[in-house]
Amino acid sequence: MSDTIKTRSVVLDCPDPAKLAAFYADILGWPITYADEEWVVVKDSETKMAICFQAVPNHRPPTWPEGPIPQQFHLDFTVDEFDATEKRVLAAGATKAEFQPGDDFLVYFDPDGHPFCLCL
């Protein structure tokens, strides 16, 4: 079908693209495939999905779940189990959210404050 839309990437605004890309490359096991001072790409070789990081000098992280800066989106990652994955994402620099809304997913913040979920 010539009018098919396919997912290419998700772009996160952040103050330091290299630093945040390194975090996601570490937790996902995806390589950094492009980098300059303003833009870094982490890409899965199997699905070709990419997470890109764009420099925004005055970036302000969301204040989820409440606060003056709303969450505009978040990333969900499917995992086999929580314990080992949680240890790995925390060791890489994530923090666990105090508010946990469900039993089949856990909420974390990346080093720049973007929320993401680990989902069973």
Side-chain angles (χ1 to χ4, degrees), residues 8-14 17-18 20-21 24 30 33-34 38-43 48-55 73 75 110 114:
R8 175 181 171 147
S9 62
V10 173
V11 180
L12 296 177
D13 293 345
C14 57
L20 195 57
Y24 280 99
W30 296 1
T33 59
Y34 176 83
E38 302 293 318
W39 187 265
V40 179
V41 177
V42 174
K43 193 169 190 177
K48 306 297 183 200
M49 177 61 188
I51 303 175
C52 305
F53 306 89
Q54 175 176 275
F73 75 95
L75 300 169
D110 70 24
H114 301 101

Side-chain angles (χ1 to χ4, degrees), residues 14-26 32 35-37 40 42 53 92-93 110-112:
C14 57
D16 184 344
K19 179 181 171 189
L20 195 57
F23 168 79
Y24 280 99
D26 183 23
I32 294 174
D36 65 30
E37 290 182 14
V40 179
V42 174
F53 306 89
D110 70 24
D112 285 339

Side-chain angles (χ1 to χ4, degrees), residues 75-87:
L75 300 169
D76 286 344
F77 301 108
T78 300
V79 299
D80 294 328
E81 56 90 25
F82 287 135
D83 293 337
T85 308
E86 177 176 82
K87 287 177 187 174

